[in-house]
Amino acid sequence: MIPELMAACIGHELPAAREWANRHGLRLGWDELAMTLYMELRQPKTGEVFVLRGTFEGYKSVPPAWTFCDLSRSDCGQPKYFPRPENGPGGVSSIFLPTPVICAPFNLLAYAEHQGPHGDWGGPTKWLSAGQGNIVRATTIADMLQTIRSHFQYTAGRMSP
Amino acid sequence: MLGKNSTSEHGPKDHELTVTVFAPRSVDPKVFTWAKTLKVADAADEAARAFGYEAGTPTFQNEENEVLDRNKPLVAAKVKDGDTLELVDNGGGV
């Protein structure tokens, strides 16, 4: 996707994402040059802070690449930066797995083409309609953040020490 | 004297409630008036359509960050007149 279109998509969606973050007392950091978003989440059960990162290369032809980083934001993707999953109320399965990947159609890193577990979603370019049945759906930046936060609320501890 | 179920000139009927719904993708909220006995699923589906969502499993999150059970009536899900709700997707991961 050409850079101008990427910037337009992100520019269109960021205001709502910022409003959403403000409503929930969260701070959203956006690095325009790096096309990268950061958001700190505090785990309700432990009080620990986790740093969520989304990189938007190719957005919106492909979804962002979501992962967790250390507090300095210099190292990302390690199990110790991820929350340990717990299912939500009513047994809703978590988007967090026992492996360090956010498993949702809106995460580029969930696709087999990017070493993720899913080769059954039709590839990253089909992300806007990927998943069947009760698989979570989020197709704007704010919706993705809301979904990640919703599932994060039920996690407990870290995936590894 | 107004009866129990009469409509006040300035407020909702006793069997209805009016709430403000925010959706993550929208800067501005929308106001909805629903019967208290309407299922959360039906109310959330209506709100989702109004905000332009397609597909998914919408429900609401209240101000205590509780995700409402889609199968419950609004009143049983403790939704009250004047509440503020956030529209969320209740789908799961894999």
Side-chain angles (χ1 to χ4, degrees):
Chain A
M1 195 177 210
I2 62 175
E4 290 80 7
L5 280 178
M6 281 166 45
C9 283
I10 295 167
H12 179 69
E13 295 182 11
L14 264 184
R18 293 192 192 281
E19 282 294 318
W20 173 86
N22 286 339
R23 282 202 297 280
H24 296 282
L26 299 168
R27 272 197 310 177
L28 188 160
W30 172 248
D31 183 336
E32 189 169 343
L33 281 178
M35 303 283 277
T36 299
L37 178 153
Y38 290 96
M39 191 168 72
E40 291 186 355
L41 295 168
R42 187 174 295 276
Q43 194 176 61
K45 290 181 182 176
T46 64
E48 286 199 69
V49 174
F50 291 73
V51 179
L52 175 71
R53 184 190 78 180
T55 52
F56 286 73
E57 185 65 38
Y59 190 74
K60 196 164 178 170
S61 295
V62 296
W66 296 102
T67 189
F68 283 90
C69 305
D70 68 344
L71 293 180
S72 71
R73 306 176 182 183
S74 60
D75 188 33
C76 302
Q78 304 275 358
K80 59 186 173 182
Y81 306 142
F82 276 72
R84 185 158 51 85
E86 299 271 347
N87 285 342
V92 174
S93 61
S94 178
I95 60 173
F96 300 111
L97 299 181
T99 55
V101 64
I102 298 171
C103 202
F106 57 78
N107 185 19
L108 186 68
L109 302 180
Y111 289 81
E113 290 85 347
H114 292 268
Q115 289 74 54
H118 280 281
D120 58 337
W121 283 345
T125 58
K126 301 286 194 295
W127 74 283
L128 290 170
S129 57
Q132 299 290 328
N134 288 332
I135 301 304
V136 70
R137 177 169 294 275
T139 58
T140 72
I141 298 171
D143 289 306
M144 296 178 224
L145 292 172
Q146 167 66 56
T147 298
I148 292 170
R149 180 175 179 258
S150 282
H151 286 250
F152 177 82
Q153 296 290 97
Y154 301 109
T155 64
R158 292 184 178 272
M159 190 174 293
S160 77
Chain B
M1 185 175 179
L2 295 177
K4 184 179 178 181
N5 294 318
S6 296
T7 303
S8 163
E9 184 177 359
H10 301 292
K13 301 172 183 174
D14 282 348
H15 62 279
E16 292 179 335
L17 47 81
T18 297
V19 297
T20 299
V21 177
F22 283 90
R25 66 174 49 180
S26 176
V27 172
D28 299 313
K30 294 182 187 293
V31 176
F32 295 88
T33 297
W34 289 309
K36 291 178 179 178
T37 54
L38 186 69
K39 279 176 61 175
V40 168
D42 294 329
D45 286 347
E46 179 182 335
R49 283 194 303 273
F51 281 105
Y53 287 87
E54 299 173 358
T57 316
T59 184
F60 298 115
Q61 180 176 287
N62 63 21
E63 291 178 274
E64 286 76 44
N65 286 326
E66 296 166 329
V67 175
L68 305 188
D69 185 339
R70 278 172 52 92
N71 295 315
K72 287 186 175 178
L74 290 167
V75 64
K78 302 177 186 174
V79 179
K80 299 180 298 299
D81 185 61
D83 275 359
T84 297
L85 304 171
E86 184 94 37
L87 186 68
V88 300
D89 189 283
N90 200 38
V94 288

